Amino acid sequence: MVINVEGIIYKTQSYKENSRLLFIYTNEGKRTLLAQGSQKLNNNNRILAQYLNLITFDDNKKSFQSLKNAKLILEYTNIKNDFEKTKITGVALEIIDKTITEDEDHLSIYNELKLMLESETTTESVLSFALKILKYIGFGLYLSPDGRKIKGVSTISGGLVYENDGTPIDLDAKEAVILLKLYVMPYNELEQLTEKSINKIKEFVRNYYRYHLQTELKNL
């Protein structure tokens, strides 16, 4: 059965002389589409078949298929027109590419991705996305305090560390509060962070993915 669905192009790859492979994430999972001739200047799908586009297309549920009846819905020009925003947004798409498997809760993850792309605080929202996704793929953080005085957060334990606990911390108590807000707050309610705080959270996310998922986030 073929139905028309929407999806976000999280990666593209040249294919043969004039075509392109589109790696698309939908609310039912990943699809790889062959966009025939889309690298030709006069091809109808040349603009549509680009990285970080929201499109609709005919889906036959197969992991690999040809691009058919496609329409461009949104180009996210507010992101693409800013190099730094494009670069940090690439982290979220890299996470989709490297960590999302066939058996995930795709509807929830897809909705998180769309909400993140629609937010105004791009860097903070991408970091929030990177943290929120962990719970969907089985590597969620443990950030609910139990009443004891918090010393910080540990990458290795994946949660809070309390006073008189010898576990090394990667974020101190104040940074733990920032991490918690990014982990639980809606994207449209996130506060703008200082450069120092952003760098600390980036380091934590990078190390967490490396340690727990054996995944190197090259765009971070």
Side-chain angles (χ1 to χ4, degrees):
M1 181 179 179
V2 176
I3 59 173
N4 199 256
V5 301
E6 71 169 40
I8 295 168
I9 302 175
Y10 65 87
K11 186 171 70 172
T12 66
Q13 179 181 316
S14 295
Y15 183 77
K16 296 187 176 179
E17 185 175 353
N18 295 309
S19 299
R20 186 179 287 140
L21 294 178
L22 309 182
F23 299 87
I24 300 179
Y25 192 57
T26 76
N27 61 15
E28 293 189 0
K30 295 177 178 178
R31 302 287 188 265
T32 302
L33 272 60
L34 173 60
Q36 294 273 15
S38 59
Q39 296 196 79
K40 293 180 179 179
L41 292 176
N42 61 349
N43 187 273
N44 291 334
N45 289 325
R46 185 177 68 87
I47 301 299
L48 177 146
Q50 292 184 9
Y51 174 75
L52 192 54
N53 277 351
L54 175 66
I55 68 171
T56 60
F57 61 95
D58 279 357
D59 181 22
N60 61 16
K61 307 291 184 177
K62 295 180 180 179
S63 58
F64 184 82
Q65 51 192 289
S66 293
L67 181 69
K68 293 181 180 179
N69 294 324
K71 292 182 180 179
L72 177 63
I73 305 302
L74 196 59
E75 294 184 77
Y76 296 108
T77 52
N78 62 312
I79 297 174
K80 293 180 182 179
N81 289 340
D82 186 312
F83 174 77
E84 292 302 325
K85 286 184 177 182
T86 303
K87 183 178 178 182
I88 192 67
T89 301
V91 175
L93 301 184
E94 184 182 6
I95 288 170
I96 295 295
D97 183 33
K98 291 183 175 180
T99 70
I100 304 305
T101 62
E102 184 178 348
D103 299 324
E104 310 293 1
D105 178 3
H106 298 297
L107 178 59
S108 295
I109 296 171
Y110 183 73
N111 287 336
E112 289 282 0
L113 180 60
K114 286 190 70 177
L115 288 170
M116 182 274 296
L117 291 172
E118 293 165 2
S119 65
E120 295 182 3
T121 53
T122 305
T123 299
E124 290 80 2
S125 292
V126 169
L127 293 175
S128 179
F129 175 84
L131 295 167
K132 286 179 168 73
I133 290 307
L134 293 169
K135 62 182 177 240
Y136 295 114
I137 58 178
F139 294 92
L141 296 162
Y142 300 96
L143 299 176
S144 297
D146 63 6
R148 291 179 289 168
K149 188 174 182 180
I150 296 170
K151 183 168 70 172
V153 180
S154 165
T155 298
I156 294 174
S157 69
L160 296 173
V161 177
Y162 298 95
E163 294 290 346
N164 302 319
D165 185 332
T167 303
I169 62 171
D170 300 280
L171 299 175
D172 63 25
K174 289 183 178 180
E175 293 159 348
V177 173
I178 295 172
L179 188 74
L180 177 60
K181 288 180 178 179
L182 291 170
Y183 193 55
V184 301
M185 289 180 65
Y187 299 103
N188 61 358
E189 295 180 16
L190 294 174
E191 301 172 356
Q192 189 169 3
L193 300 177
T194 65
E195 184 177 356
K196 179 181 178 182
S197 295
I198 286 174
N199 289 335
K200 289 292 292 185
I201 299 299
K202 279 184 177 181
E203 183 180 12
F204 178 85
V205 170
R206 188 164 49 240
N207 291 336
Y208 195 91
Y209 273 75
R210 182 184 296 134
Y211 183 84
H212 291 278
L213 287 83
Q214 289 77 54
T215 297
E216 200 72 38
L217 297 178
K218 296 180 180 179
N219 289 316
L220 193 57

